[in-house]
Amino acid sequence: MRKKTKILLISYLSVLVIALGLYAWAGQWGLGWYRRTAEESASLAYEETVRAVQTLSAVLEQSPYAADSDMCDRICCEAYASAAAAESALSTLPFSTWELEQLSGFLNTAGDYAHSLCGQGQPFTQRQRRELRELSDAAGDFSQRLLELRQSLQDRELAMDSREKRLRNVGTETGPRLSEELKRWEDGFDPVELRYDGAYGAEEKKKSGGLLTEEEMLAAAAAFAGLSPEELCLDYQAEGGEGRRCYRAEEAWISVGRGGVESYSCSRLVPEAALTMEQAEKKAEAFLKTHGYEDLQLLEQSQSACLALFSYVREQDGVLCPEDPLRLSIALDDGSLYSFDATKFDPEPIQVTWAVEEDGAREALPASLREASCVRMILRSPGGRPVPCYVFSARDEDGRAVEISVSAESGKQFRIRVGA
C-alpha cells in the first residue's frame, strides 16, 4: 500500500511539474509575442513621425514659389495634414511626450498657422512667406535629427523606450533611450513664435485695466466670498507672468488673476432643491448686481441635479457677445453661489465695423436654404479677434437646421453649424 501511494504521488507531482512547465513556457511565449508587438508598434510610430515631419518640411519649402491663391491653399492644407499626422504619431511613442512640449508645440503651431492661411483668397504676403520659411527651416532641423536618431536605433546605439515595467536588474537593457536623446535635443530647440489670428498665435490677449498686487488679490478674493482675508489660505500660485493665485476657505476655492476674481467653486453637497428656477435666477441677478456685473443678458439656463446653471453675456450697441460668457450656478437648497466662471468674460468695449448690410450678407447664403432668420452677434475668431457677424438660422431641403454666420466686415461666410 505504501509503495502504491509513493507511485501515485510521484505521478501526480510529475504531471504537476509538466503542467507548470507548459504554463510557464506558454506565458513566456505570450510575453515575448507582446514585447515584439509593442516594439513593432513603437517602430512604426517613429517611422510615421519621421515621414510626417519630412513631408511637413518639404511642403513648407514650396511656399516661397507659390504664386496663386489655389496653390497657396493646397500647400497650407498639405502642411496642416502633415503636422497633424506628426503630432498624432509622436503622441503614440512609448514614453511621456509631455516632456517634449516644445516639439509638440512646434507641430501644433505649424499646423494651426497653415490652417489659418487656408481660404484667404490671395497669395501669401511677404511676411507670410518669411514665416513659412522659418517653419520650414525648423521642420528641416527636426527631420534631420529624427533621421539621425533612426540610424542610431538601427545600429543598436540607441534603444527604443518601453512601457513595460520589469523587475529591477531582470531583463533590463543598458544604454541611452530614444526619449532621453529627444529630450536632450529639444532643450536646444528654439520654438518659432508667430503673430497671427489663430489658437497658437503669440498675440497677447489680456484684459485691460490696472494689475492687482498680491495684497489686493487676497482682498478681492475675501470680498468676493464674503469673508475676511484671515479666513483664506493660499492653495497654490500659478507660474508665469499672470501670477494667478488660488485661495481656499473650507469648501470654497477662489481663483484670482491680476485683473480680478476669475472663478469660484464650492465642493459641498446640495441635498435637495427647495427653490424654483425663477427664484434661483433672481438670486443670480442679485449676486451679479452686488459684484458690479450689470447690463448682462441671460443667454442660457438649465438645471443639473440640485443646481441652477446660468450663462450671461454682454451686449454692445444692441448686439450680443455670446462667446465672452460669464457662467455661474446657484445651489437650489439655500440660494447660495455654487460656482462662478469669468475666465472668458471681457467687460471692455469691442471695436468692430459693420461694413456689410444684412441684404449683402444674405447673398453669401446657399439658394437651397429657406426660412433664414437673422440676428446680429459679435463672435470670436480662432485667435480671439472679435468679428461682427450676421447669424442666419435656416433649414435646408431635408429640413435640417443650419446656422451660417456671415462676417459683416468681408461679407463672406465665417462659420457653419449643422443641426444648430
Side-chain angles (χ1 to χ4, degrees), residues 25-26 48 58 65 67 85 87 102 107 112 136 197 210 244-246 252 255 302 348 357 405 419:
W25 176 83
E48 290 295 331
Y65 314 106
E87 171 63 19
Q102 290 191 25
L107 294 175
D112 186 66
S136 175
D197 187 18
R244 184 176 294 105
R245 298 165 72 87
C246 182
S255 177
S302 61
E348 299 298 326
E357 297 293 336
S405 302

mmCIF file of all heavy atoms in Angstrom, residues 25-26 48 58 65 67 85 87 102 107 112 136 197 210 244-246 252 255 302 348 357 405 419:
data_model
loop_
_atom_site.group_PDB
_atom_site.id
_atom_site.type_symbol
_atom_site.label_atom_id
_atom_site.label_comp_id
_atom_site.label_asym_id
_atom_site.label_seq_id
_atom_site.Cartn_x
_atom_site.Cartn_y
_atom_site.Cartn_z
ATOM 1 N N TRP A 25 6.069 28.058 -20.055
ATOM 2 C CA TRP A 25 6.508 28.226 -21.445
ATOM 3 C C TRP A 25 5.498 29.048 -22.241
ATOM 4 O O TRP A 25 5.865 29.937 -23.016
ATOM 5 C CB TRP A 25 6.692 26.861 -22.090
ATOM 6 C CG TRP A 25 7.059 26.961 -23.550
ATOM 7 C CD1 TRP A 25 8.281 27.164 -24.091
ATOM 8 C CD2 TRP A 25 6.129 26.895 -24.647
ATOM 9 N NE1 TRP A 25 8.208 27.220 -25.456
ATOM 10 C CE2 TRP A 25 6.902 27.059 -25.832
ATOM 11 C CE3 TRP A 25 4.757 26.702 -24.750
ATOM 12 C CZ2 TRP A 25 6.316 27.038 -27.090
ATOM 13 C CZ3 TRP A 25 4.183 26.682 -26.007
ATOM 14 C CH2 TRP A 25 4.943 26.851 -27.160
ATOM 15 N N ALA A 26 4.219 28.742 -22.044
ATOM 16 C CA ALA A 26 3.179 29.491 -22.754
ATOM 17 C C ALA A 26 3.179 30.959 -22.333
ATOM 18 O O ALA A 26 3.023 31.863 -23.169
ATOM 19 C CB ALA A 26 1.806 28.865 -22.476
ATOM 20 N N GLU A 48 6.400 56.771 -38.767
ATOM 21 C CA GLU A 48 5.349 57.698 -39.177
ATOM 22 C C GLU A 48 5.688 59.125 -38.774
ATOM 23 O O GLU A 48 5.405 60.080 -39.509
ATOM 24 C CB GLU A 48 4.009 57.278 -38.563
ATOM 25 C CG GLU A 48 3.432 55.993 -39.148
ATOM 26 C CD GLU A 48 3.063 56.152 -40.609
ATOM 27 O OE1 GLU A 48 2.724 57.282 -41.021
ATOM 28 O OE2 GLU A 48 3.127 55.154 -41.348
ATOM 29 N N ALA A 58 9.111 69.517 -46.449
ATOM 30 C CA ALA A 58 9.129 69.616 -47.909
ATOM 31 C C ALA A 58 7.989 70.497 -48.425
ATOM 32 O O ALA A 58 8.170 71.294 -49.352
ATOM 33 C CB ALA A 58 9.039 68.223 -48.527
ATOM 34 N N TYR A 65 7.525 79.835 -53.576
ATOM 35 C CA TYR A 65 7.349 79.787 -55.022
ATOM 36 C C TYR A 65 5.885 79.714 -55.433
ATOM 37 O O TYR A 65 5.591 79.665 -56.641
ATOM 38 C CB TYR A 65 8.105 78.578 -55.582
ATOM 39 C CG TYR A 65 9.497 78.459 -55.023
ATOM 40 C CD1 TYR A 65 9.801 77.488 -54.074
ATOM 41 C CD2 TYR A 65 10.509 79.354 -55.395
ATOM 42 C CE1 TYR A 65 11.076 77.382 -53.528
ATOM 43 C CE2 TYR A 65 11.783 79.254 -54.853
ATOM 44 C CZ TYR A 65 12.053 78.277 -53.916
ATOM 45 O OH TYR A 65 13.317 78.180 -53.371
ATOM 46 N N ALA A 67 2.518 81.148 -56.442
ATOM 47 C CA ALA A 67 2.198 82.467 -56.994
ATOM 48 C C ALA A 67 0.710 82.750 -57.088
ATOM 49 O O ALA A 67 0.322 83.877 -57.377
ATOM 50 C CB ALA A 67 2.814 82.600 -58.401
ATOM 51 N N ALA A 85 -0.553 64.710 -38.579
ATOM 52 C CA ALA A 85 -0.080 63.328 -38.601
ATOM 53 C C ALA A 85 1.158 63.159 -37.728
ATOM 54 O O ALA A 85 1.295 62.169 -37.000
ATOM 55 C CB ALA A 85 0.212 62.903 -40.038
ATOM 56 N N GLU A 87 2.065 65.006 -35.114
ATOM 57 C CA GLU A 87 1.671 65.136 -33.710
ATOM 58 C C GLU A 87 0.990 63.867 -33.217
ATOM 59 O O GLU A 87 1.229 63.412 -32.106
ATOM 60 C CB GLU A 87 0.746 66.338 -33.545
ATOM 61 C CG GLU A 87 0.096 66.457 -32.185
ATOM 62 C CD GLU A 87 1.091 66.656 -31.067
ATOM 63 O OE1 GLU A 87 2.228 67.057 -31.336
ATOM 64 O OE2 GLU A 87 0.706 66.401 -29.909
ATOM 65 N N GLN A 102 7.986 71.384 -26.313
ATOM 66 C CA GLN A 102 8.393 72.335 -27.342
ATOM 67 C C GLN A 102 8.249 71.731 -28.737
ATOM 68 O O GLN A 102 7.805 72.408 -29.666
ATOM 69 C CB GLN A 102 9.839 72.774 -27.106
ATOM 70 C CG GLN A 102 10.015 73.653 -25.877
ATOM 71 C CD GLN A 102 11.400 74.278 -25.823
ATOM 72 O OE1 GLN A 102 12.057 74.458 -26.846
ATOM 73 N NE2 GLN A 102 11.853 74.601 -24.627
ATOM 74 N N LEU A 107 4.795 71.514 -33.701
ATOM 75 C CA LEU A 107 3.913 70.866 -34.673
ATOM 76 C C LEU A 107 2.516 71.469 -34.625
ATOM 77 O O LEU A 107 1.886 71.693 -35.667
ATOM 78 C CB LEU A 107 3.853 69.363 -34.389
ATOM 79 C CG LEU A 107 5.165 68.599 -34.593
ATOM 80 C CD1 LEU A 107 5.006 67.148 -34.153
ATOM 81 C CD2 LEU A 107 5.616 68.658 -36.044
ATOM 82 N N ASP A 112 -1.529 74.788 -37.151
ATOM 83 C CA ASP A 112 -2.560 75.790 -36.953
ATOM 84 C C ASP A 112 -2.300 77.037 -37.799
ATOM 85 O O ASP A 112 -3.242 77.641 -38.327
ATOM 86 C CB ASP A 112 -2.634 76.168 -35.473
ATOM 87 C CG ASP A 112 -3.792 77.094 -35.168
ATOM 88 O OD1 ASP A 112 -4.949 76.676 -35.309
ATOM 89 O OD2 ASP A 112 -3.532 78.262 -34.802
ATOM 90 N N SER A 136 9.623 76.094 -42.115
ATOM 91 C CA SER A 136 10.249 75.068 -42.953
ATOM 92 C C SER A 136 11.663 74.743 -42.461
ATOM 93 O O SER A 136 12.047 73.572 -42.387
ATOM 94 C CB SER A 136 10.288 75.538 -44.405
ATOM 95 O OG SER A 136 10.982 74.612 -45.211
ATOM 96 N N ASP A 197 -3.779 85.278 -36.370
ATOM 97 C CA ASP A 197 -5.110 85.106 -35.798
ATOM 98 C C ASP A 197 -5.436 83.622 -35.725
ATOM 99 O O ASP A 197 -6.157 83.074 -36.552
ATOM 100 C CB ASP A 197 -6.146 85.852 -36.653
ATOM 101 C CG ASP A 197 -7.524 85.842 -36.004
ATOM 102 O OD1 ASP A 197 -7.608 85.581 -34.786
ATOM 103 O OD2 ASP A 197 -8.509 86.085 -36.713
ATOM 104 N N GLY A 210 -5.890 98.084 -14.583
ATOM 105 C CA GLY A 210 -4.746 98.005 -13.700
ATOM 106 C C GLY A 210 -4.529 96.594 -13.184
ATOM 107 O O GLY A 210 -5.447 95.783 -13.098
ATOM 108 N N ARG A 244 -1.530 84.006 -11.393
ATOM 109 C CA ARG A 244 -2.833 83.646 -10.840
ATOM 110 C C ARG A 244 -2.651 82.940 -9.501
ATOM 111 O O ARG A 244 -1.789 82.092 -9.324
ATOM 112 C CB ARG A 244 -3.580 82.754 -11.824
ATOM 113 C CG ARG A 244 -4.989 82.394 -11.383
ATOM 114 C CD ARG A 244 -5.708 81.585 -12.434
ATOM 115 N NE ARG A 244 -5.948 82.367 -13.633
ATOM 116 C CZ ARG A 244 -5.265 82.231 -14.763
ATOM 117 N NH1 ARG A 244 -4.265 81.370 -14.850
ATOM 118 N NH2 ARG A 244 -5.548 82.964 -15.823
ATOM 119 N N ARG A 245 -3.505 83.296 -8.553
ATOM 120 C CA ARG A 245 -3.430 82.718 -7.209
ATOM 121 C C ARG A 245 -4.792 82.139 -6.843
ATOM 122 O O ARG A 245 -5.834 82.718 -7.161
ATOM 123 C CB ARG A 245 -3.020 83.775 -6.178
ATOM 124 C CG ARG A 245 -1.642 84.363 -6.449
ATOM 125 C CD ARG A 245 -1.427 85.644 -5.653
ATOM 126 N NE ARG A 245 -1.239 85.404 -4.230
ATOM 127 C CZ ARG A 245 -0.072 85.140 -3.650
ATOM 128 N NH1 ARG A 245 1.028 85.102 -4.396
ATOM 129 N NH2 ARG A 245 0.019 84.933 -2.358
ATOM 130 N N CYS A 246 -4.774 80.987 -6.187
ATOM 131 C CA CYS A 246 -5.999 80.329 -5.761
ATOM 132 C C CYS A 246 -6.027 80.268 -4.238
ATOM 133 O O CYS A 246 -5.087 79.779 -3.610
ATOM 134 C CB CYS A 246 -6.097 78.917 -6.344
ATOM 135 S SG CYS A 246 -7.622 78.055 -5.895
ATOM 136 N N ALA A 252 -14.633 76.119 -0.203
ATOM 137 C CA ALA A 252 -14.665 77.046 -1.341
ATOM 138 C C ALA A 252 -13.254 77.340 -1.842
ATOM 139 O O ALA A 252 -12.301 77.401 -1.055
ATOM 140 C CB ALA A 252 -15.358 78.344 -0.950
ATOM 141 N N SER A 255 -10.250 81.683 -7.371
ATOM 142 C CA SER A 255 -9.094 81.927 -8.235
ATOM 143 C C SER A 255 -9.087 83.392 -8.650
ATOM 144 O O SER A 255 -10.085 83.907 -9.154
ATOM 145 C CB SER A 255 -9.145 81.026 -9.470
ATOM 146 O OG SER A 255 -8.072 81.301 -10.342
ATOM 147 N N SER A 302 -30.256 76.258 -17.282
ATOM 148 C CA SER A 302 -30.604 74.850 -17.197
ATOM 149 C C SER A 302 -30.476 74.404 -15.751
ATOM 150 O O SER A 302 -29.930 75.126 -14.904
ATOM 151 C CB SER A 302 -29.707 73.994 -18.105
ATOM 152 O OG SER A 302 -28.348 74.113 -17.708
ATOM 153 N N GLU A 348 -14.662 94.880 -21.452
ATOM 154 C CA GLU A 348 -14.242 96.053 -22.208
ATOM 155 C C GLU A 348 -15.001 96.173 -23.530
ATOM 156 O O GLU A 348 -15.317 95.167 -24.169
ATOM 157 C CB GLU A 348 -12.738 95.999 -22.488
ATOM 158 C CG GLU A 348 -11.877 95.980 -21.232
ATOM 159 C CD GLU A 348 -12.053 97.240 -20.402
ATOM 160 O OE1 GLU A 348 -12.264 98.314 -21.006
ATOM 161 O OE2 GLU A 348 -12.000 97.156 -19.170
ATOM 162 N N GLU A 357 -24.183 95.345 -45.101
ATOM 163 C CA GLU A 357 -25.562 95.336 -44.635
ATOM 164 C C GLU A 357 -26.113 93.904 -44.644
ATOM 165 O O GLU A 357 -25.522 92.995 -45.246
ATOM 166 C CB GLU A 357 -26.421 96.225 -45.537
ATOM 167 C CG GLU A 357 -26.012 97.692 -45.530
ATOM 168 C CD GLU A 357 -26.260 98.349 -44.185
ATOM 169 O OE1 GLU A 357 -27.129 97.850 -43.434
ATOM 170 O OE2 GLU A 357 -25.593 99.363 -43.897
ATOM 171 N N SER A 405 -23.000 81.854 -40.137
ATOM 172 C CA SER A 405 -22.587 83.189 -39.716
ATOM 173 C C SER A 405 -21.803 83.833 -40.854
ATOM 174 O O SER A 405 -20.864 83.228 -41.392
ATOM 175 C CB SER A 405 -21.720 83.115 -38.456
ATOM 176 O OG SER A 405 -22.420 82.479 -37.405
ATOM 177 N N GLY A 419 -27.388 71.390 -37.718
ATOM 178 C CA GLY A 419 -28.120 70.876 -36.574
ATOM 179 C C GLY A 419 -28.096 71.823 -35.390
ATOM 180 O O GLY A 419 -28.298 71.404 -34.249
#
